[in-house]
Amino acid sequence: RSPTPTPEALAWNGTGSTRNLFAIVLGRCYTYTQLLRPGLGSEACPKILDAFKSAFISKNPCDIMKEDYQPLVDLVNQTVPCNKSLFWSKSKELAHQYSWVQGGMFTLEDTLLGYLADDLTWCGDPSSVEPNYQSCPRWNECLNHTGSVFWKVISQKFAESACGVVQVMLNGSLSKPFHKSSTFGSVELFSLDPRKVHTLQAWVMHDIRGNYSDSCSGPSIRELESIVNKRNITFTCQNNYRPARLVQCVKNIEHSSCASKI
Ligand code: NAD
C-alpha cells in the first residue's frame, strides 16, 4: 500500500510562522498575567491559547475575518486607565522604550493581547492543523490577512476604550510623520470616542542625529490636526517631547540637545 501523500501547504511570499509559536504565546501569557501584571488572572492562559489557535489554524491565511479573533478578544477584559494610552506610528522602538521607563503608560503592546503577539508571525494552512512554518503571506499580499486582521481588531478595541488625554508618538524624521493609511491613521484615530477622549497630544520625535525640523507646523501634522478637530477632540503638538528625548539621550549623551537646561 502506498502512503497517502500529505497535501502541500500553500506557498506565500513572507516568512513563515515563528518557531515554537504556541509555546511563546503561552509563556508570554503567564509572564504577563503572573509576573508583570498579577491581578489579571493567569488561569485563562490555556483558554487564551486555544482561542488564538482557533482563529487561524486550518484556515486560508488570506481569508481571516474580524469575527475569527472575537472569541480571543472576549476572553481578555483589560482596561487602560484614563490619560495613560500611548499610540505610535513609525516610532515603535522609542515608544516602547519610553513606556517601559516611564512605567505608567500603556502602548497596545503593554496590554495583554498586544504583548502576546508583538513581533511574532503566524498563519495556518487549510490542509494542516499546524501553523505554516514555511511561509505566510506578506501584509500587502492580501486584505484579510491573519496578522493584519488581528492588529486591526485589537488596535480598534484599544482605541475605543481610551479616555481622557491620549498621546501619540510620531516620527518627525520622516517626510510624512502622519499617514492616513497607517493603522494609527485609519483605525485608531477614528475609533477614539470624542465623548471620552477630550485631547490628543502628538509628540513628534526626531532622530537625535538628524536635522531639527519643526514638524508640528508642517503639512502632515496639520492634516492630523484637522481630522482630530473635526472629530471634536482638542489637538496639541510638541516637537521632541523632553522625557522621550531624554530616553534617546541615553545612547547619545554627548549630543547638544541632551545637555541639562538648568
Ligand atoms: P507602523 O506603520 O509603524 O506599523 C506598525 C507595525 O505594523 C510595524 O512595526 C509592523 O510590525 C506592522 N506592519 C505595518 N504595515 C506592515 C507591512 N506592510 N508589512 C509588514 N508589517 C507591517 O504604524 P501604524 O500602522 O500606525 O501602527 C501602529 C499603531 O497601531 C500603534 O498605535 C499600535 O497601537 C497599533 N499596531 C501595532 C502593531 C504591532 O506590531 N505591535 C501592528 C499594527 C498596529
Side-chain angles (χ1 to χ4, degrees):
R1 264 189 338 156
S2 57
T4 359
T6 35
E8 287 281 315
L10 299 172
W12 304 98
N13 290 321
T15 53
S17 303
T18 308
R19 278 183 303 122
N20 305 308
L21 177 70
F22 296 146
I24 294 176
V25 171
L26 188 61
R28 285 185 178 183
C29 185
Y30 283 119
T31 301
Y32 190 95
T33 55
Q34 193 178 317
L35 304 175
L36 295 178
R37 298 191 188 269
L40 267 185
S42 57
E43 316 77 51
C45 286
K47 270 193 194 156
I48 287 175
L49 178 63
D50 279 346
F52 175 68
K53 288 182 184 174
S54 305
F56 70 97
I57 281 298
S58 303
K59 298 180 187 175
N60 183 316
C62 277
D63 204 7
I64 300 297
M65 298 293 140
K66 284 185 167 181
E67 293 71 30
D68 289 310
Y69 286 110
Q70 205 52 50
L72 170 64
V73 168
D74 290 344
L75 276 175
V76 180
N77 237 327
Q78 186 177 18
T79 50
V80 170
C82 288
N83 313 319
K84 301 294 182 195
S85 303
L86 172 59
F87 300 92
W88 54 268
S89 201
K90 305 272 188 303
S91 54
K92 178 171 172 170
E93 194 183 347
L94 183 60
H96 286 174
Q97 289 172 344
Y98 169 77
S99 101
W100 176 253
V101 174
Q102 200 276 346
M105 303 284 296
F106 286 78
T107 63
L108 176 59
E109 299 73 32
D110 295 307
T111 69
L112 177 57
L113 286 172
Y115 184 83
L116 292 180
D118 196 25
D119 291 332
L120 301 182
T121 303
W122 67 94
C123 71
D125 188 88
S127 70
S128 168
V129 293
E130 293 294 321
N132 185 345
Y133 291 110
Q134 257 64 56
S135 67
C136 288
R138 290 199 189 147
W139 275 48
N140 48 11
E141 221 168 322
C142 54
L143 222 52
N144 301 321
H145 175 284
T146 321
S148 66
V149 170
F150 171 83
W151 287 107
K152 235 183 230 169
V153 168
I154 71 162
S155 300
Q156 182 180 338
K157 194 185 166 204
F158 179 61
E160 280 170 354
S161 71
C163 48
V165 184
V166 302
Q167 332 284 337
V168 62
M169 186 185 287
L170 300 171
N171 188 338
S173 293
L174 302 177
S175 54
K176 278 188 75 169
F178 170 69
H179 262 276
K180 261 163 78 168
S181 57
S182 65
T183 307
F184 171 70
S186 64
V187 178
E188 293 178 326
L189 187 53
F190 292 95
S191 302
L192 297 174
D193 181 348
R195 289 167 304 181
K196 294 192 297 177
V197 173
H198 58 82
T199 304
L200 176 81
Q201 283 182 340
W203 299 334
V204 185
M205 303 303 301
H206 299 86
D207 289 347
I208 207 160
R209 294 175 187 283
N211 290 330
Y212 177 81
S213 88
D214 175 11
S215 302
C216 281
S217 58
S220 176
I221 300 297
R222 285 277 171 84
E223 182 187 19
L224 171 61
E225 175 171 28
S226 127
I227 296 174
V228 173
N229 287 340
K230 271 196 199 119
R231 302 210 60 228
N232 278 326
I233 297 173
T234 304
F235 180 79
T236 68
C237 182
Q238 236 178 300
N239 291 298
N240 294 331
Y241 174 63
R242 187 88 186 137
R245 167 53 50 122
L246 292 176
V247 171
Q248 295 175 313
C249 284
V250 173
K251 284 189 187 166
N252 297 276
I253 197 65
E254 303 302 338
H255 193 269
S256 59
S257 71
C258 299
S260 165
K261 280 184 169 170
I262 300 169

PDB file of all heavy atoms in Angstrom, residues 87-92 108-109 118 139-140 151 155 158 182-185 188, ligand 1:
ATOM      1  N   PHE A  87      -0.366  55.878  21.737  1.00  0.00           N
ATOM      2  CA  PHE A  87      -0.368  55.351  20.377  1.00  0.00           C
ATOM      3  C   PHE A  87       0.962  55.724  19.725  1.00  0.00           C
ATOM      4  O   PHE A  87       1.667  56.626  20.202  1.00  0.00           O
ATOM      5  CB  PHE A  87      -1.533  55.944  19.581  1.00  0.00           C
ATOM      6  CG  PHE A  87      -2.869  55.625  20.187  1.00  0.00           C
ATOM      7  CD1 PHE A  87      -3.480  56.485  21.096  1.00  0.00           C
ATOM      8  CD2 PHE A  87      -3.509  54.432  19.878  1.00  0.00           C
ATOM      9  CE1 PHE A  87      -4.691  56.175  21.680  1.00  0.00           C
ATOM     10  CE2 PHE A  87      -4.734  54.108  20.466  1.00  0.00           C
ATOM     11  CZ  PHE A  87      -5.323  54.991  21.364  1.00  0.00           C
ATOM     12  N   TRP A  88       1.301  55.062  18.655  1.00  0.00           N
ATOM     13  CA  TRP A  88       2.541  55.376  17.960  1.00  0.00           C
ATOM     14  C   TRP A  88       2.393  55.014  16.490  1.00  0.00           C
ATOM     15  O   TRP A  88       1.528  54.204  16.116  1.00  0.00           O
ATOM     16  CB  TRP A  88       3.734  54.626  18.579  1.00  0.00           C
ATOM     17  CG  TRP A  88       3.539  53.134  18.668  1.00  0.00           C
ATOM     18  CD1 TRP A  88       3.023  52.437  19.729  1.00  0.00           C
ATOM     19  CD2 TRP A  88       3.805  52.158  17.644  1.00  0.00           C
ATOM     20  NE1 TRP A  88       2.955  51.092  19.435  1.00  0.00           N
ATOM     21  CE2 TRP A  88       3.439  50.892  18.165  1.00  0.00           C
ATOM     22  CE3 TRP A  88       4.339  52.224  16.344  1.00  0.00           C
ATOM     23  CZ2 TRP A  88       3.575  49.707  17.431  1.00  0.00           C
ATOM     24  CZ3 TRP A  88       4.474  51.027  15.611  1.00  0.00           C
ATOM     25  CH2 TRP A  88       4.091  49.799  16.168  1.00  0.00           C
ATOM     26  N   SER A  89       3.216  55.594  15.654  1.00  0.00           N
ATOM     27  CA  SER A  89       3.252  55.227  14.246  1.00  0.00           C
ATOM     28  C   SER A  89       4.670  55.474  13.757  1.00  0.00           C
ATOM     29  O   SER A  89       5.196  56.582  13.917  1.00  0.00           O
ATOM     30  CB  SER A  89       2.244  56.092  13.460  1.00  0.00           C
ATOM     31  OG  SER A  89       1.910  55.468  12.250  1.00  0.00           O
ATOM     32  N   LYS A  90       5.285  54.444  13.205  1.00  0.00           N
ATOM     33  CA  LYS A  90       6.679  54.501  12.724  1.00  0.00           C
ATOM     34  C   LYS A  90       7.648  54.958  13.822  1.00  0.00           C
ATOM     35  O   LYS A  90       8.631  55.640  13.536  1.00  0.00           O
ATOM     36  CB  LYS A  90       6.790  55.455  11.514  1.00  0.00           C
ATOM     37  CG  LYS A  90       5.864  55.126  10.358  1.00  0.00           C
ATOM     38  CD  LYS A  90       6.491  54.144   9.408  1.00  0.00           C
ATOM     39  CE  LYS A  90       5.695  53.918   8.136  1.00  0.00           C
ATOM     40  NZ  LYS A  90       4.325  53.474   8.310  1.00  0.00           N
ATOM     41  N   SER A  91       7.345  54.619  15.046  1.00  0.00           N
ATOM     42  CA  SER A  91       8.214  55.007  16.152  1.00  0.00           C
ATOM     43  C   SER A  91       8.134  53.948  17.254  1.00  0.00           C
ATOM     44  O   SER A  91       8.183  54.259  18.438  1.00  0.00           O
ATOM     45  CB  SER A  91       7.780  56.368  16.706  1.00  0.00           C
ATOM     46  OG  SER A  91       6.395  56.312  17.052  1.00  0.00           O
ATOM     47  N   LYS A  92       8.008  52.690  16.812  1.00  0.00           N
ATOM     48  CA  LYS A  92       7.752  51.609  17.759  1.00  0.00           C
ATOM     49  C   LYS A  92       8.827  51.493  18.842  1.00  0.00           C
ATOM     50  O   LYS A  92       8.520  51.404  20.027  1.00  0.00           O
ATOM     51  CB  LYS A  92       7.668  50.303  16.971  1.00  0.00           C
ATOM     52  CG  LYS A  92       7.442  49.061  17.802  1.00  0.00           C
ATOM     53  CD  LYS A  92       7.170  47.888  16.892  1.00  0.00           C
ATOM     54  CE  LYS A  92       7.120  46.594  17.659  1.00  0.00           C
ATOM     55  NZ  LYS A  92       6.628  45.491  16.836  1.00  0.00           N
ATOM     56  N   LEU A 108      -0.212  49.652  22.989  1.00  0.00           N
ATOM     57  CA  LEU A 108      -1.006  48.439  22.763  1.00  0.00           C
ATOM     58  C   LEU A 108      -0.225  47.196  23.201  1.00  0.00           C
ATOM     59  O   LEU A 108      -0.790  46.232  23.730  1.00  0.00           O
ATOM     60  CB  LEU A 108      -1.360  48.350  21.264  1.00  0.00           C
ATOM     61  CG  LEU A 108      -2.107  47.113  20.798  1.00  0.00           C
ATOM     62  CD1 LEU A 108      -3.437  46.954  21.532  1.00  0.00           C
ATOM     63  CD2 LEU A 108      -2.354  47.163  19.292  1.00  0.00           C
ATOM     64  N   GLU A 109       1.087  47.239  23.008  1.00  0.00           N
ATOM     65  CA  GLU A 109       1.925  46.079  23.319  1.00  0.00           C
ATOM     66  C   GLU A 109       2.196  45.952  24.817  1.00  0.00           C
ATOM     67  O   GLU A 109       2.821  44.991  25.263  1.00  0.00           O
ATOM     68  CB  GLU A 109       3.234  46.149  22.523  1.00  0.00           C
ATOM     69  CG  GLU A 109       3.038  46.145  21.019  1.00  0.00           C
ATOM     70  CD  GLU A 109       2.490  47.469  20.480  1.00  0.00           C
ATOM     71  OE1 GLU A 109       2.802  48.525  21.062  1.00  0.00           O
ATOM     72  OE2 GLU A 109       1.730  47.441  19.497  1.00  0.00           O
ATOM     73  N   ASP A 118       3.293  40.602  19.885  1.00  0.00           N
ATOM     74  CA  ASP A 118       4.244  41.558  19.322  1.00  0.00           C
ATOM     75  C   ASP A 118       5.464  40.849  18.723  1.00  0.00           C
ATOM     76  O   ASP A 118       6.037  39.949  19.339  1.00  0.00           O
ATOM     77  CB  ASP A 118       4.687  42.548  20.410  1.00  0.00           C
ATOM     78  CG  ASP A 118       5.345  43.769  19.805  1.00  0.00           C
ATOM     79  OD1 ASP A 118       5.056  44.080  18.630  1.00  0.00           O
ATOM     80  OD2 ASP A 118       6.160  44.423  20.491  1.00  0.00           O
ATOM     81  N   TRP A 139       2.076  41.336   4.494  1.00  0.00           N
ATOM     82  CA  TRP A 139       0.924  42.173   4.835  1.00  0.00           C
ATOM     83  C   TRP A 139       0.201  42.686   3.603  1.00  0.00           C
ATOM     84  O   TRP A 139      -1.014  42.799   3.591  1.00  0.00           O
ATOM     85  CB  TRP A 139       1.360  43.375   5.687  1.00  0.00           C
ATOM     86  CG  TRP A 139       1.431  43.048   7.144  1.00  0.00           C
ATOM     87  CD1 TRP A 139       2.047  41.965   7.695  1.00  0.00           C
ATOM     88  CD2 TRP A 139       0.867  43.790   8.218  1.00  0.00           C
ATOM     89  NE1 TRP A 139       1.915  42.008   9.069  1.00  0.00           N
ATOM     90  CE2 TRP A 139       1.202  43.114   9.412  1.00  0.00           C
ATOM     91  CE3 TRP A 139       0.135  44.974   8.305  1.00  0.00           C
ATOM     92  CZ2 TRP A 139       0.821  43.571  10.675  1.00  0.00           C
ATOM     93  CZ3 TRP A 139      -0.246  45.440   9.566  1.00  0.00           C
ATOM     94  CH2 TRP A 139       0.083  44.733  10.726  1.00  0.00           C
ATOM     95  N   ASN A 140       0.968  43.007   2.569  1.00  0.00           N
ATOM     96  CA  ASN A 140       0.324  43.580   1.382  1.00  0.00           C
ATOM     97  C   ASN A 140      -0.049  42.511   0.357  1.00  0.00           C
ATOM     98  O   ASN A 140      -0.478  42.825  -0.743  1.00  0.00           O
ATOM     99  CB  ASN A 140       1.206  44.661   0.757  1.00  0.00           C
ATOM    100  CG  ASN A 140       2.637  44.176   0.599  1.00  0.00           C
ATOM    101  OD1 ASN A 140       2.898  42.979   0.777  1.00  0.00           O
ATOM    102  ND2 ASN A 140       3.547  45.073   0.255  1.00  0.00           N
ATOM    103  N   TRP A 151      -4.184  42.707  14.198  1.00  0.00           N
ATOM    104  CA  TRP A 151      -3.754  44.014  14.717  1.00  0.00           C
ATOM    105  C   TRP A 151      -4.853  45.059  14.543  1.00  0.00           C
ATOM    106  O   TRP A 151      -5.026  45.936  15.381  1.00  0.00           O
ATOM    107  CB  TRP A 151      -2.436  44.446  14.057  1.00  0.00           C
ATOM    108  CG  TRP A 151      -1.294  43.628  14.592  1.00  0.00           C
ATOM    109  CD1 TRP A 151      -0.608  42.637  13.925  1.00  0.00           C
ATOM    110  CD2 TRP A 151      -0.725  43.685  15.917  1.00  0.00           C
ATOM    111  NE1 TRP A 151       0.350  42.084  14.759  1.00  0.00           N
ATOM    112  CE2 TRP A 151       0.296  42.706  15.971  1.00  0.00           C
ATOM    113  CE3 TRP A 151      -0.987  44.446  17.052  1.00  0.00           C
ATOM    114  CZ2 TRP A 151       1.069  42.488  17.134  1.00  0.00           C
ATOM    115  CZ3 TRP A 151      -0.224  44.234  18.205  1.00  0.00           C
ATOM    116  CH2 TRP A 151       0.785  43.261  18.231  1.00  0.00           C
ATOM    117  N   SER A 155      -6.223  46.853  17.769  1.00  0.00           N
ATOM    118  CA  SER A 155      -5.954  48.301  17.766  1.00  0.00           C
ATOM    119  C   SER A 155      -7.269  49.066  17.928  1.00  0.00           C
ATOM    120  O   SER A 155      -7.347  50.067  18.651  1.00  0.00           O
ATOM    121  CB  SER A 155      -5.290  48.744  16.465  1.00  0.00           C
ATOM    122  OG  SER A 155      -4.066  48.075  16.276  1.00  0.00           O
ATOM    123  N   PHE A 158      -8.439  48.778  21.512  1.00  0.00           N
ATOM    124  CA  PHE A 158      -7.554  49.588  22.361  1.00  0.00           C
ATOM    125  C   PHE A 158      -7.959  51.067  22.274  1.00  0.00           C
ATOM    126  O   PHE A 158      -8.083  51.757  23.290  1.00  0.00           O
ATOM    127  CB  PHE A 158      -6.124  49.378  21.869  1.00  0.00           C
ATOM    128  CG  PHE A 158      -5.053  50.146  22.586  1.00  0.00           C
ATOM    129  CD1 PHE A 158      -4.816  49.957  23.942  1.00  0.00           C
ATOM    130  CD2 PHE A 158      -4.235  51.048  21.888  1.00  0.00           C
ATOM    131  CE1 PHE A 158      -3.794  50.651  24.591  1.00  0.00           C
ATOM    132  CE2 PHE A 158      -3.218  51.737  22.535  1.00  0.00           C
ATOM    133  CZ  PHE A 158      -2.996  51.546  23.888  1.00  0.00           C
ATOM    134  N   SER A 182      -1.965  54.490   7.707  1.00  0.00           N
ATOM    135  CA  SER A 182      -1.369  53.663   8.768  1.00  0.00           C
ATOM    136  C   SER A 182      -2.478  53.135   9.682  1.00  0.00           C
ATOM    137  O   SER A 182      -3.619  53.607   9.618  1.00  0.00           O
ATOM    138  CB  SER A 182      -0.392  54.515   9.588  1.00  0.00           C
ATOM    139  OG  SER A 182      -1.114  55.544  10.258  1.00  0.00           O
ATOM    140  N   THR A 183      -2.135  52.185  10.534  1.00  0.00           N
ATOM    141  CA  THR A 183      -3.141  51.691  11.492  1.00  0.00           C
ATOM    142  C   THR A 183      -3.559  52.822  12.426  1.00  0.00           C
ATOM    143  O   THR A 183      -4.734  52.976  12.746  1.00  0.00           O
ATOM    144  CB  THR A 183      -2.582  50.513  12.318  1.00  0.00           C
ATOM    145  OG1 THR A 183      -2.076  49.532  11.420  1.00  0.00           O
ATOM    146  CG2 THR A 183      -3.651  49.889  13.190  1.00  0.00           C
ATOM    147  N   PHE A 184      -2.593  53.653  12.829  1.00  0.00           N
ATOM    148  CA  PHE A 184      -2.985  54.778  13.673  1.00  0.00           C
ATOM    149  C   PHE A 184      -3.949  55.697  12.921  1.00  0.00           C
ATOM    150  O   PHE A 184      -4.990  56.090  13.450  1.00  0.00           O
ATOM    151  CB  PHE A 184      -1.746  55.567  14.153  1.00  0.00           C
ATOM    152  CG  PHE A 184      -2.154  56.841  14.836  1.00  0.00           C
ATOM    153  CD1 PHE A 184      -2.782  56.800  16.079  1.00  0.00           C
ATOM    154  CD2 PHE A 184      -1.976  58.075  14.214  1.00  0.00           C
ATOM    155  CE1 PHE A 184      -3.218  57.964  16.696  1.00  0.00           C
ATOM    156  CE2 PHE A 184      -2.406  59.244  14.825  1.00  0.00           C
ATOM    157  CZ  PHE A 184      -3.033  59.189  16.070  1.00  0.00           C
ATOM    158  N   GLY A 185      -3.605  56.021  11.663  1.00  0.00           N
ATOM    159  CA  GLY A 185      -4.401  56.987  10.902  1.00  0.00           C
ATOM    160  C   GLY A 185      -5.720  56.447  10.368  1.00  0.00           C
ATOM    161  O   GLY A 185      -6.646  57.220  10.121  1.00  0.00           O
ATOM    162  N   GLU A 188      -7.102  53.577  14.571  1.00  0.00           N
ATOM    163  CA  GLU A 188      -7.121  54.063  15.962  1.00  0.00           C
ATOM    164  C   GLU A 188      -7.731  55.464  16.071  1.00  0.00           C
ATOM    165  O   GLU A 188      -8.597  55.713  16.915  1.00  0.00           O
ATOM    166  CB  GLU A 188      -5.698  54.015  16.533  1.00  0.00           C
ATOM    167  CG  GLU A 188      -5.232  52.569  16.677  1.00  0.00           C
ATOM    168  CD  GLU A 188      -3.817  52.398  17.184  1.00  0.00           C
ATOM    169  OE1 GLU A 188      -2.943  53.225  16.864  1.00  0.00           O
ATOM    170  OE2 GLU A 188      -3.554  51.399  17.872  1.00  0.00           O
TER     171      GLU A 188
HETATM  172  P1  NAD B   1       3.611  51.456  11.578  1.00  0.00           P
HETATM  173  O1  NAD B   1       3.499  51.821  10.137  1.00  0.00           O
HETATM  174  O2  NAD B   1       4.884  51.789  12.291  1.00  0.00           O
HETATM  175  O3  NAD B   1       3.272  49.901  11.671  1.00  0.00           O
HETATM  176  C1  NAD B   1       3.252  49.214  12.900  1.00  0.00           C
HETATM  177  C2  NAD B   1       3.657  47.785  12.773  1.00  0.00           C
HETATM  178  O4  NAD B   1       2.753  47.120  11.911  1.00  0.00           O
HETATM  179  C3  NAD B   1       5.022  47.573  12.180  1.00  0.00           C
HETATM  180  O5  NAD B   1       6.013  47.606  13.198  1.00  0.00           O
HETATM  181  C4  NAD B   1       4.879  46.220  11.552  1.00  0.00           C
HETATM  182  O6  NAD B   1       5.085  45.222  12.528  1.00  0.00           O
HETATM  183  C5  NAD B   1       3.435  46.170  11.147  1.00  0.00           C
HETATM  184  N1  NAD B   1       3.210  46.492   9.733  1.00  0.00           N
HETATM  185  C6  NAD B   1       2.533  47.540   9.246  1.00  0.00           C
HETATM  186  N2  NAD B   1       2.493  47.504   7.908  1.00  0.00           N
HETATM  187  C7  NAD B   1       3.179  46.413   7.546  1.00  0.00           C
HETATM  188  C8  NAD B   1       3.502  45.835   6.300  1.00  0.00           C
HETATM  189  N3  NAD B   1       3.121  46.353   5.129  1.00  0.00           N
HETATM  190  N4  NAD B   1       4.230  44.683   6.316  1.00  0.00           N
HETATM  191  C9  NAD B   1       4.618  44.126   7.487  1.00  0.00           C
HETATM  192  N5  NAD B   1       4.331  44.637   8.679  1.00  0.00           N
HETATM  193  C10 NAD B   1       3.630  45.762   8.705  1.00  0.00           C
HETATM  194  O7  NAD B   1       2.473  52.190  12.408  1.00  0.00           O
HETATM  195  P2  NAD B   1       0.883  52.032  12.318  1.00  0.00           P
HETATM  196  O8  NAD B   1       0.465  51.330  11.083  1.00  0.00           O
HETATM  197  O9  NAD B   1       0.308  53.376  12.597  1.00  0.00           O
HETATM  198  O10 NAD B   1       0.562  51.065  13.557  1.00  0.00           O
HETATM  199  C11 NAD B   1       0.921  51.403  14.872  1.00  0.00           C
HETATM  200  C12 NAD B   1      -0.280  51.652  15.742  1.00  0.00           C
HETATM  201  O11 NAD B   1      -1.221  50.592  15.605  1.00  0.00           O
HETATM  202  C13 NAD B   1       0.117  51.673  17.207  1.00  0.00           C
HETATM  203  O12 NAD B   1      -0.525  52.760  17.854  1.00  0.00           O
HETATM  204  C14 NAD B   1      -0.327  50.300  17.753  1.00  0.00           C
HETATM  205  O13 NAD B   1      -1.279  50.502  18.798  1.00  0.00           O
HETATM  206  C15 NAD B   1      -1.016  49.575  16.594  1.00  0.00           C
HETATM  207  N6  NAD B   1      -0.313  48.445  15.916  1.00  0.00           N
HETATM  208  C16 NAD B   1       0.699  47.726  16.468  1.00  0.00           C
HETATM  209  C17 NAD B   1       1.310  46.721  15.757  1.00  0.00           C
HETATM  210  C18 NAD B   1       2.480  45.903  16.293  1.00  0.00           C
HETATM  211  O14 NAD B   1       3.125  45.194  15.532  1.00  0.00           O
HETATM  212  N7  NAD B   1       2.794  45.918  17.557  1.00  0.00           N
HETATM  213  C19 NAD B   1       0.895  46.423  14.465  1.00  0.00           C
HETATM  214  C20 NAD B   1      -0.139  47.184  13.919  1.00  0.00           C
HETATM  215  C21 NAD B   1      -0.739  48.176  14.658  1.00  0.00           C
END
